[in-house]
PDB file of all heavy atoms in Angstrom:
ATOM      1  N   SER A   1       0.807  -1.181  -0.004  1.00  0.00           N
ATOM      2  CA  SER A   1      -0.013  -0.003  -0.039  1.00  0.00           C
ATOM      3  C   SER A   1       0.841   1.271  -0.044  1.00  0.00           C
ATOM      4  O   SER A   1       0.608   2.207  -0.731  1.00  0.00           O
ATOM      5  CB  SER A   1      -0.941  -0.016   1.220  1.00  0.00           C
ATOM      6  OG  SER A   1      -1.818  -1.069   1.194  1.00  0.00           O
ATOM      7  N   ILE A   2       1.906   1.294   0.800  1.00  0.00           N
ATOM      8  CA  ILE A   2       2.813   2.419   0.882  1.00  0.00           C
ATOM      9  C   ILE A   2       3.527   2.582  -0.499  1.00  0.00           C
ATOM     10  O   ILE A   2       3.666   3.692  -1.023  1.00  0.00           O
ATOM     11  CB  ILE A   2       3.831   2.278   2.068  1.00  0.00           C
ATOM     12  CG1 ILE A   2       3.064   2.358   3.361  1.00  0.00           C
ATOM     13  CG2 ILE A   2       4.933   3.290   1.933  1.00  0.00           C
ATOM     14  CD1 ILE A   2       3.896   2.065   4.589  1.00  0.00           C
ATOM     15  N   THR A   3       3.971   1.511  -1.035  1.00  0.00           N
ATOM     16  CA  THR A   3       4.673   1.552  -2.298  1.00  0.00           C
ATOM     17  C   THR A   3       3.717   2.064  -3.392  1.00  0.00           C
ATOM     18  O   THR A   3       4.083   2.886  -4.245  1.00  0.00           O
ATOM     19  CB  THR A   3       5.225   0.154  -2.660  1.00  0.00           C
ATOM     20  OG1 THR A   3       6.040  -0.245  -1.637  1.00  0.00           O
ATOM     21  CG2 THR A   3       6.018   0.202  -3.972  1.00  0.00           C
ATOM     22  N   ALA A   4       2.524   1.518  -3.438  1.00  0.00           N
ATOM     23  CA  ALA A   4       1.521   1.942  -4.445  1.00  0.00           C
ATOM     24  C   ALA A   4       1.232   3.453  -4.270  1.00  0.00           C
ATOM     25  O   ALA A   4       1.040   4.161  -5.225  1.00  0.00           O
ATOM     26  CB  ALA A   4       0.268   1.138  -4.302  1.00  0.00           C
ATOM     27  N   TYR A   5       1.061   3.887  -2.997  1.00  0.00           N
ATOM     28  CA  TYR A   5       0.814   5.327  -2.816  1.00  0.00           C
ATOM     29  C   TYR A   5       1.900   6.204  -3.322  1.00  0.00           C
ATOM     30  O   TYR A   5       1.641   7.147  -3.960  1.00  0.00           O
ATOM     31  CB  TYR A   5       0.574   5.536  -1.208  1.00  0.00           C
ATOM     32  CG  TYR A   5       0.451   7.064  -0.910  1.00  0.00           C
ATOM     33  CD1 TYR A   5      -0.775   7.682  -1.203  1.00  0.00           C
ATOM     34  CD2 TYR A   5       1.521   7.734  -0.389  1.00  0.00           C
ATOM     35  CE1 TYR A   5      -0.915   9.017  -0.921  1.00  0.00           C
ATOM     36  CE2 TYR A   5       1.439   9.066  -0.145  1.00  0.00           C
ATOM     37  CZ  TYR A   5       0.194   9.717  -0.396  1.00  0.00           C
ATOM     38  OH  TYR A   5       0.072  11.032  -0.097  1.00  0.00           O
ATOM     39  N   LYS A   6       3.183   5.807  -2.962  1.00  0.00           N
ATOM     40  CA  LYS A   6       4.309   6.588  -3.404  1.00  0.00           C
ATOM     41  C   LYS A   6       4.471   6.561  -4.878  1.00  0.00           C
ATOM     42  O   LYS A   6       4.825   7.663  -5.488  1.00  0.00           O
ATOM     43  CB  LYS A   6       5.641   6.147  -2.727  1.00  0.00           C
ATOM     44  CG  LYS A   6       5.738   6.526  -1.331  1.00  0.00           C
ATOM     45  CD  LYS A   6       7.118   6.193  -0.740  1.00  0.00           C
ATOM     46  CE  LYS A   6       7.256   6.709   0.648  1.00  0.00           C
ATOM     47  NZ  LYS A   6       8.559   6.413   1.136  1.00  0.00           N
ATOM     48  N   ARG A   7       4.218   5.482  -5.540  1.00  0.00           N
ATOM     49  CA  ARG A   7       4.409   5.381  -7.003  1.00  0.00           C
ATOM     50  C   ARG A   7       3.254   5.934  -7.820  1.00  0.00           C
ATOM     51  O   ARG A   7       3.507   6.538  -8.821  1.00  0.00           O
ATOM     52  CB  ARG A   7       4.660   3.952  -7.409  1.00  0.00           C
ATOM     53  CG  ARG A   7       5.926   3.436  -6.762  1.00  0.00           C
ATOM     54  CD  ARG A   7       6.387   2.305  -7.499  1.00  0.00           C
ATOM     55  NE  ARG A   7       7.818   2.611  -7.799  1.00  0.00           N
ATOM     56  CZ  ARG A   7       8.472   2.084  -8.776  1.00  0.00           C
ATOM     57  NH1 ARG A   7       7.969   1.214  -9.550  1.00  0.00           N
ATOM     58  NH2 ARG A   7       9.681   2.365  -8.962  1.00  0.00           N
ATOM     59  N   SER A   8       2.064   5.771  -7.384  1.00  0.00           N
ATOM     60  CA  SER A   8       0.905   6.132  -8.192  1.00  0.00           C
ATOM     61  C   SER A   8       0.062   7.234  -7.631  1.00  0.00           C
ATOM     62  O   SER A   8      -0.151   8.232  -8.237  1.00  0.00           O
ATOM     63  CB  SER A   8      -0.021   4.910  -8.393  1.00  0.00           C
ATOM     64  OG  SER A   8       0.672   3.928  -9.032  1.00  0.00           O
ATOM     65  N   PHE A   9      -0.424   6.988  -6.440  1.00  0.00           N
ATOM     66  CA  PHE A   9      -1.424   7.971  -5.872  1.00  0.00           C
ATOM     67  C   PHE A   9      -0.863   9.323  -5.458  1.00  0.00           C
ATOM     68  O   PHE A   9      -1.450  10.317  -5.673  1.00  0.00           O
ATOM     69  CB  PHE A   9      -2.144   7.285  -4.655  1.00  0.00           C
ATOM     70  CG  PHE A   9      -2.914   6.100  -5.066  1.00  0.00           C
ATOM     71  CD1 PHE A   9      -2.588   4.850  -4.609  1.00  0.00           C
ATOM     72  CD2 PHE A   9      -4.042   6.199  -5.936  1.00  0.00           C
ATOM     73  CE1 PHE A   9      -3.291   3.709  -4.963  1.00  0.00           C
ATOM     74  CE2 PHE A   9      -4.753   5.078  -6.299  1.00  0.00           C
ATOM     75  CZ  PHE A   9      -4.394   3.844  -5.786  1.00  0.00           C
ATOM     76  N   HIS A  10       0.394   9.300  -4.954  1.00  0.00           N
ATOM     77  CA  HIS A  10       1.030  10.570  -4.543  1.00  0.00           C
ATOM     78  C   HIS A  10       1.217  11.486  -5.802  1.00  0.00           C
ATOM     79  O   HIS A  10       0.888  12.656  -5.768  1.00  0.00           O
ATOM     80  CB  HIS A  10       2.369  10.306  -3.877  1.00  0.00           C
ATOM     81  CG  HIS A  10       3.086  11.509  -3.451  1.00  0.00           C
ATOM     82  ND1 HIS A  10       2.611  12.397  -2.484  1.00  0.00           N
ATOM     83  CD2 HIS A  10       4.279  12.096  -3.897  1.00  0.00           C
ATOM     84  CE1 HIS A  10       3.447  13.380  -2.276  1.00  0.00           C
ATOM     85  NE2 HIS A  10       4.498  13.266  -3.190  1.00  0.00           N
ATOM     86  N   THR A  11       1.661  10.917  -6.918  1.00  0.00           N
ATOM     87  CA  THR A  11       1.822  11.691  -8.152  1.00  0.00           C
ATOM     88  C   THR A  11       0.486  12.159  -8.614  1.00  0.00           C
ATOM     89  O   THR A  11       0.336  13.231  -9.115  1.00  0.00           O
ATOM     90  CB  THR A  11       2.552  10.744  -9.185  1.00  0.00           C
ATOM     91  OG1 THR A  11       3.659  10.292  -8.638  1.00  0.00           O
ATOM     92  CG2 THR A  11       2.820  11.536 -10.472  1.00  0.00           C
ATOM     93  N   LEU A  12      -0.519  11.245  -8.543  1.00  0.00           N
ATOM     94  CA  LEU A  12      -1.863  11.654  -8.978  1.00  0.00           C
ATOM     95  C   LEU A  12      -2.413  12.827  -8.208  1.00  0.00           C
ATOM     96  O   LEU A  12      -2.957  13.793  -8.776  1.00  0.00           O
ATOM     97  CB  LEU A  12      -2.847  10.418  -8.846  1.00  0.00           C
ATOM     98  CG  LEU A  12      -4.321  10.735  -9.171  1.00  0.00           C
ATOM     99  CD1 LEU A  12      -4.500  11.013 -10.623  1.00  0.00           C
ATOM    100  CD2 LEU A  12      -5.155   9.567  -8.753  1.00  0.00           C
ATOM    101  N   PHE A  13      -2.173  12.832  -6.918  1.00  0.00           N
ATOM    102  CA  PHE A  13      -2.678  14.018  -6.116  1.00  0.00           C
ATOM    103  C   PHE A  13      -1.960  15.249  -6.438  1.00  0.00           C
ATOM    104  O   PHE A  13      -2.524  16.346  -6.473  1.00  0.00           O
ATOM    105  CB  PHE A  13      -2.532  13.618  -4.602  1.00  0.00           C
ATOM    106  CG  PHE A  13      -3.462  12.576  -4.158  1.00  0.00           C
ATOM    107  CD1 PHE A  13      -3.033  11.596  -3.240  1.00  0.00           C
ATOM    108  CD2 PHE A  13      -4.783  12.454  -4.554  1.00  0.00           C
ATOM    109  CE1 PHE A  13      -3.872  10.567  -2.775  1.00  0.00           C
ATOM    110  CE2 PHE A  13      -5.630  11.487  -4.181  1.00  0.00           C
ATOM    111  CZ  PHE A  13      -5.127  10.559  -3.217  1.00  0.00           C
ATOM    112  N   GLN A  14      -0.604  15.114  -6.717  1.00  0.00           N
ATOM    113  CA  GLN A  14       0.133  16.315  -7.126  1.00  0.00           C
ATOM    114  C   GLN A  14      -0.369  16.844  -8.493  1.00  0.00           C
ATOM    115  O   GLN A  14      -0.527  18.066  -8.695  1.00  0.00           O
ATOM    116  CB  GLN A  14       1.632  16.005  -7.246  1.00  0.00           C
ATOM    117  CG  GLN A  14       2.310  15.865  -5.914  1.00  0.00           C
ATOM    118  CD  GLN A  14       3.817  15.524  -6.116  1.00  0.00           C
ATOM    119  OE1 GLN A  14       4.203  14.978  -7.122  1.00  0.00           O
ATOM    120  NE2 GLN A  14       4.593  15.889  -5.152  1.00  0.00           N
ATOM    121  N   VAL A  15      -0.649  15.997  -9.442  1.00  0.00           N
ATOM    122  CA  VAL A  15      -1.153  16.379 -10.732  1.00  0.00           C
ATOM    123  C   VAL A  15      -2.513  17.053 -10.518  1.00  0.00           C
ATOM    124  O   VAL A  15      -2.820  18.053 -11.220  1.00  0.00           O
ATOM    125  CB  VAL A  15      -1.199  15.176 -11.720  1.00  0.00           C
ATOM    126  CG1 VAL A  15      -1.992  15.462 -12.962  1.00  0.00           C
ATOM    127  CG2 VAL A  15       0.175  14.751 -12.072  1.00  0.00           C
ATOM    128  N   MET A  16      -3.341  16.504  -9.722  1.00  0.00           N
ATOM    129  CA  MET A  16      -4.694  17.076  -9.497  1.00  0.00           C
ATOM    130  C   MET A  16      -4.568  18.457  -8.824  1.00  0.00           C
ATOM    131  O   MET A  16      -5.295  19.430  -9.259  1.00  0.00           O
ATOM    132  CB  MET A  16      -5.574  16.241  -8.583  1.00  0.00           C
ATOM    133  CG  MET A  16      -5.978  14.897  -9.331  1.00  0.00           C
ATOM    134  SD  MET A  16      -6.918  13.804  -8.264  1.00  0.00           S
ATOM    135  CE  MET A  16      -8.321  14.763  -7.854  1.00  0.00           C
ATOM    136  N   GLU A  17      -3.651  18.670  -7.927  1.00  0.00           N
ATOM    137  CA  GLU A  17      -3.409  20.047  -7.333  1.00  0.00           C
ATOM    138  C   GLU A  17      -2.944  21.009  -8.408  1.00  0.00           C
ATOM    139  O   GLU A  17      -3.387  22.123  -8.457  1.00  0.00           O
ATOM    140  CB  GLU A  17      -2.424  19.918  -6.185  1.00  0.00           C
ATOM    141  CG  GLU A  17      -2.933  19.352  -4.942  1.00  0.00           C
ATOM    142  CD  GLU A  17      -1.854  19.236  -3.843  1.00  0.00           C
ATOM    143  OE1 GLU A  17      -0.876  20.006  -3.948  1.00  0.00           O
ATOM    144  OE2 GLU A  17      -1.997  18.374  -3.001  1.00  0.00           O
ATOM    145  N   GLU A  18      -1.996  20.531  -9.278  1.00  0.00           N
ATOM    146  CA  GLU A  18      -1.460  21.422 -10.274  1.00  0.00           C
ATOM    147  C   GLU A  18      -2.498  21.784 -11.316  1.00  0.00           C
ATOM    148  O   GLU A  18      -2.661  22.884 -11.795  1.00  0.00           O
ATOM    149  CB  GLU A  18      -0.305  20.813 -10.964  1.00  0.00           C
ATOM    150  CG  GLU A  18       0.430  21.698 -11.964  1.00  0.00           C
ATOM    151  CD  GLU A  18       1.696  21.103 -12.553  1.00  0.00           C
ATOM    152  OE1 GLU A  18       2.167  20.082 -11.995  1.00  0.00           O
ATOM    153  OE2 GLU A  18       2.166  21.570 -13.609  1.00  0.00           O
ATOM    154  N   TYR A  19      -3.432  20.803 -11.681  1.00  0.00           N
ATOM    155  CA  TYR A  19      -4.505  21.017 -12.624  1.00  0.00           C
ATOM    156  C   TYR A  19      -5.461  22.064 -11.953  1.00  0.00           C
ATOM    157  O   TYR A  19      -5.912  22.935 -12.755  1.00  0.00           O
ATOM    158  CB  TYR A  19      -5.231  19.734 -12.830  1.00  0.00           C
ATOM    159  CG  TYR A  19      -6.538  19.926 -13.684  1.00  0.00           C
ATOM    160  CD1 TYR A  19      -6.453  20.100 -15.027  1.00  0.00           C
ATOM    161  CD2 TYR A  19      -7.752  19.880 -13.032  1.00  0.00           C
ATOM    162  CE1 TYR A  19      -7.639  20.242 -15.740  1.00  0.00           C
ATOM    163  CE2 TYR A  19      -8.915  20.019 -13.743  1.00  0.00           C
ATOM    164  CZ  TYR A  19      -8.821  20.250 -15.133  1.00  0.00           C
ATOM    165  OH  TYR A  19      -9.981  20.406 -15.890  1.00  0.00           O
ATOM    166  N   ASN A  20      -5.803  21.964 -10.764  1.00  0.00           N
ATOM    167  CA  ASN A  20      -6.750  22.956 -10.133  1.00  0.00           C
ATOM    168  C   ASN A  20      -6.075  24.347 -10.139  1.00  0.00           C
ATOM    169  O   ASN A  20      -6.777  25.359 -10.417  1.00  0.00           O
ATOM    170  CB  ASN A  20      -7.030  22.519  -8.720  1.00  0.00           C
ATOM    171  CG  ASN A  20      -7.946  21.301  -8.639  1.00  0.00           C
ATOM    172  OD1 ASN A  20      -8.670  21.016  -9.679  1.00  0.00           O
ATOM    173  ND2 ASN A  20      -7.981  20.598  -7.605  1.00  0.00           N
ATOM    174  N   ALA A  21      -4.781  24.466  -9.892  1.00  0.00           N
ATOM    175  CA  ALA A  21      -4.155  25.742  -9.834  1.00  0.00           C
ATOM    176  C   ALA A  21      -4.120  26.333 -11.241  1.00  0.00           C
ATOM    177  O   ALA A  21      -4.418  27.545 -11.462  1.00  0.00           O
ATOM    178  CB  ALA A  21      -2.761  25.691  -9.263  1.00  0.00           C
ATOM    179  N   LEU A  22      -3.830  25.540 -12.267  1.00  0.00           N
ATOM    180  CA  LEU A  22      -3.759  26.019 -13.654  1.00  0.00           C
ATOM    181  C   LEU A  22      -5.191  26.356 -14.162  1.00  0.00           C
ATOM    182  O   LEU A  22      -5.403  27.366 -14.876  1.00  0.00           O
ATOM    183  CB  LEU A  22      -3.115  24.976 -14.582  1.00  0.00           C
ATOM    184  CG  LEU A  22      -1.603  24.764 -14.359  1.00  0.00           C
ATOM    185  CD1 LEU A  22      -1.118  23.631 -15.248  1.00  0.00           C
ATOM    186  CD2 LEU A  22      -0.848  26.053 -14.690  1.00  0.00           C
ATOM    187  N   SER A  23      -6.158  25.635 -13.699  1.00  0.00           N
ATOM    188  CA  SER A  23      -7.547  25.940 -14.093  1.00  0.00           C
ATOM    189  C   SER A  23      -7.961  27.255 -13.496  1.00  0.00           C
ATOM    190  O   SER A  23      -8.667  28.091 -14.197  1.00  0.00           O
ATOM    191  CB  SER A  23      -8.483  24.840 -13.614  1.00  0.00           C
ATOM    192  OG  SER A  23      -8.278  23.664 -14.215  1.00  0.00           O
ATOM    193  N   ALA A  24      -7.548  27.593 -12.307  1.00  0.00           N
ATOM    194  CA  ALA A  24      -7.824  28.938 -11.666  1.00  0.00           C
ATOM    195  C   ALA A  24      -7.135  30.042 -12.528  1.00  0.00           C
ATOM    196  O   ALA A  24      -7.739  31.047 -12.744  1.00  0.00           O
ATOM    197  CB  ALA A  24      -7.388  28.942 -10.245  1.00  0.00           C
ATOM    198  N   LYS A  25      -5.907  29.761 -12.914  1.00  0.00           N
ATOM    199  CA  LYS A  25      -5.213  30.790 -13.720  1.00  0.00           C
ATOM    200  C   LYS A  25      -5.872  31.052 -15.085  1.00  0.00           C
ATOM    201  O   LYS A  25      -5.963  32.114 -15.586  1.00  0.00           O
ATOM    202  CB  LYS A  25      -3.700  30.367 -13.934  1.00  0.00           C
ATOM    203  CG  LYS A  25      -2.875  30.558 -12.676  1.00  0.00           C
ATOM    204  CD  LYS A  25      -1.413  30.145 -13.005  1.00  0.00           C
ATOM    205  CE  LYS A  25      -0.571  30.328 -11.748  1.00  0.00           C
ATOM    206  NZ  LYS A  25       0.818  29.999 -12.020  1.00  0.00           N
ATOM    207  N   VAL A  26      -6.317  29.881 -15.679  1.00  0.00           N
ATOM    208  CA  VAL A  26      -7.005  30.025 -17.014  1.00  0.00           C
ATOM    209  C   VAL A  26      -8.315  30.836 -16.805  1.00  0.00           C
ATOM    210  O   VAL A  26      -8.636  31.689 -17.619  1.00  0.00           O
ATOM    211  CB  VAL A  26      -7.270  28.624 -17.627  1.00  0.00           C
ATOM    212  CG1 VAL A  26      -8.323  28.725 -18.690  1.00  0.00           C
ATOM    213  CG2 VAL A  26      -6.000  28.011 -18.120  1.00  0.00           C
ATOM    214  N   ALA A  27      -9.045  30.548 -15.752  1.00  0.00           N
ATOM    215  CA  ALA A  27     -10.298  31.324 -15.511  1.00  0.00           C
ATOM    216  C   ALA A  27      -9.968  32.803 -15.283  1.00  0.00           C
ATOM    217  O   ALA A  27     -10.703  33.643 -15.762  1.00  0.00           O
ATOM    218  CB  ALA A  27     -10.970  30.709 -14.322  1.00  0.00           C
ATOM    219  N   ASP A  28      -8.880  33.059 -14.574  1.00  0.00           N
ATOM    220  CA  ASP A  28      -8.511  34.519 -14.377  1.00  0.00           C
ATOM    221  C   ASP A  28      -8.130  35.207 -15.673  1.00  0.00           C
ATOM    222  O   ASP A  28      -8.532  36.309 -15.896  1.00  0.00           O
ATOM    223  CB  ASP A  28      -7.320  34.528 -13.319  1.00  0.00           C
ATOM    224  CG  ASP A  28      -6.995  35.909 -12.931  1.00  0.00           C
ATOM    225  OD1 ASP A  28      -7.939  36.699 -12.710  1.00  0.00           O
ATOM    226  OD2 ASP A  28      -5.790  36.253 -12.834  1.00  0.00           O
ATOM    227  N   ILE A  29      -7.339  34.448 -16.502  1.00  0.00           N
ATOM    228  CA  ILE A  29      -6.951  35.068 -17.796  1.00  0.00           C
ATOM    229  C   ILE A  29      -8.197  35.244 -18.690  1.00  0.00           C
ATOM    230  O   ILE A  29      -8.324  36.315 -19.328  1.00  0.00           O
ATOM    231  CB  ILE A  29      -5.934  34.117 -18.517  1.00  0.00           C
ATOM    232  CG1 ILE A  29      -4.583  34.174 -17.767  1.00  0.00           C
ATOM    233  CG2 ILE A  29      -5.781  34.489 -19.977  1.00  0.00           C
ATOM    234  CD1 ILE A  29      -3.557  33.142 -18.218  1.00  0.00           C
ATOM    235  N   ASN A  30      -9.108  34.352 -18.717  1.00  0.00           N
ATOM    236  CA  ASN A  30     -10.332  34.514 -19.528  1.00  0.00           C
ATOM    237  C   ASN A  30     -11.156  35.690 -19.001  1.00  0.00           C
ATOM    238  O   ASN A  30     -11.784  36.434 -19.794  1.00  0.00           O
ATOM    239  CB  ASN A  30     -11.180  33.217 -19.549  1.00  0.00           C
ATOM    240  CG  ASN A  30     -10.522  32.148 -20.394  1.00  0.00           C
ATOM    241  OD1 ASN A  30      -9.766  32.408 -21.286  1.00  0.00           O
ATOM    242  ND2 ASN A  30     -10.864  30.895 -20.069  1.00  0.00           N
ATOM    243  N   LYS A  31     -11.222  35.826 -17.668  1.00  0.00           N
ATOM    244  CA  LYS A  31     -11.944  36.959 -17.098  1.00  0.00           C
ATOM    245  C   LYS A  31     -11.374  38.310 -17.515  1.00  0.00           C
ATOM    246  O   LYS A  31     -12.025  39.214 -17.918  1.00  0.00           O
ATOM    247  CB  LYS A  31     -11.930  36.832 -15.531  1.00  0.00           C
ATOM    248  CG  LYS A  31     -12.663  37.897 -14.863  1.00  0.00           C
ATOM    249  CD  LYS A  31     -12.578  37.691 -13.318  1.00  0.00           C
ATOM    250  CE  LYS A  31     -13.062  38.852 -12.571  1.00  0.00           C
ATOM    251  NZ  LYS A  31     -12.844  38.714 -11.120  1.00  0.00           N
ATOM    252  N   LYS A  32     -10.009  38.374 -17.516  1.00  0.00           N
ATOM    253  CA  LYS A  32      -9.381  39.586 -17.924  1.00  0.00           C
ATOM    254  C   LYS A  32      -9.481  39.790 -19.432  1.00  0.00           C
ATOM    255  O   LYS A  32      -9.652  40.952 -19.883  1.00  0.00           O
ATOM    256  CB  LYS A  32      -7.825  39.517 -17.558  1.00  0.00           C
ATOM    257  CG  LYS A  32      -7.611  39.661 -16.102  1.00  0.00           C
ATOM    258  CD  LYS A  32      -6.145  39.518 -15.744  1.00  0.00           C
ATOM    259  CE  LYS A  32      -5.920  39.565 -14.285  1.00  0.00           C
ATOM    260  NZ  LYS A  32      -4.518  39.385 -13.899  1.00  0.00           N
ATOM    261  N   ALA A  33      -9.463  38.767 -20.247  1.00  0.00           N
ATOM    262  CA  ALA A  33      -9.705  38.897 -21.732  1.00  0.00           C
ATOM    263  C   ALA A  33     -11.059  39.407 -22.010  1.00  0.00           C
ATOM    264  O   ALA A  33     -11.251  40.246 -22.917  1.00  0.00           O
ATOM    265  CB  ALA A  33      -9.442  37.592 -22.400  1.00  0.00           C
ATOM    266  N   ASN A  34     -12.085  38.934 -21.262  1.00  0.00           N
ATOM    267  CA  ASN A  34     -13.450  39.452 -21.467  1.00  0.00           C
ATOM    268  C   ASN A  34     -13.593  40.880 -21.044  1.00  0.00           C
ATOM    269  O   ASN A  34     -14.400  41.585 -21.596  1.00  0.00           O
ATOM    270  CB  ASN A  34     -14.435  38.558 -20.716  1.00  0.00           C
ATOM    271  CG  ASN A  34     -14.530  37.207 -21.322  1.00  0.00           C
ATOM    272  OD1 ASN A  34     -14.248  36.977 -22.461  1.00  0.00           O
ATOM    273  ND2 ASN A  34     -15.019  36.210 -20.531  1.00  0.00           N
ATOM    274  N   ASN A  35     -12.733  41.322 -20.127  1.00  0.00           N
ATOM    275  CA  ASN A  35     -12.794  42.692 -19.580  1.00  0.00           C
ATOM    276  C   ASN A  35     -12.184  43.673 -20.674  1.00  0.00           C
ATOM    277  O   ASN A  35     -12.446  44.875 -20.576  1.00  0.00           O
ATOM    278  CB  ASN A  35     -12.088  42.809 -18.273  1.00  0.00           C
ATOM    279  CG  ASN A  35     -12.385  44.049 -17.557  1.00  0.00           C
ATOM    280  OD1 ASN A  35     -13.413  44.687 -17.805  1.00  0.00           O
ATOM    281  ND2 ASN A  35     -11.504  44.532 -16.695  1.00  0.00           N
ATOM    282  N   THR A  36     -11.367  43.184 -21.579  1.00  0.00           N
ATOM    283  CA  THR A  36     -10.730  44.133 -22.545  1.00  0.00           C
ATOM    284  C   THR A  36     -11.805  44.776 -23.436  1.00  0.00           C
ATOM    285  O   THR A  36     -11.583  45.980 -23.805  1.00  0.00           O
ATOM    286  CB  THR A  36      -9.694  43.459 -23.439  1.00  0.00           C
ATOM    287  OG1 THR A  36     -10.311  42.341 -24.134  1.00  0.00           O
ATOM    288  CG2 THR A  36      -8.528  42.831 -22.610  1.00  0.00           C
TER     289      THR A  36
END
């Protein structure tokens, strides 16, 4: 379980966090583009 977490699930959680942060940035950029 620890090996599976370190090899698969830990990376998955990091990718999900990065995806959420990038999605927030995209939403912010789109909001600014609509404001132009």
Side-chain angles (χ1 to χ4, degrees):
S1 297
I2 291 172
T3 304
Y5 173 78
K6 283 187 175 183
R7 297 201 126 201
S8 300
F9 296 115
H10 180 66
T11 307
L12 175 68
F13 292 140
Q14 285 179 335
V15 168
M16 288 177 63
E17 285 177 25
E18 187 174 344
Y19 172 78
N20 289 337
L22 291 175
S23 294
K25 285 183 181 180
V26 165
D28 188 41
I29 289 171
N30 287 338
K31 180 180 168 186
K32 289 178 182 176
N34 290 337
N35 194 25
T36 58

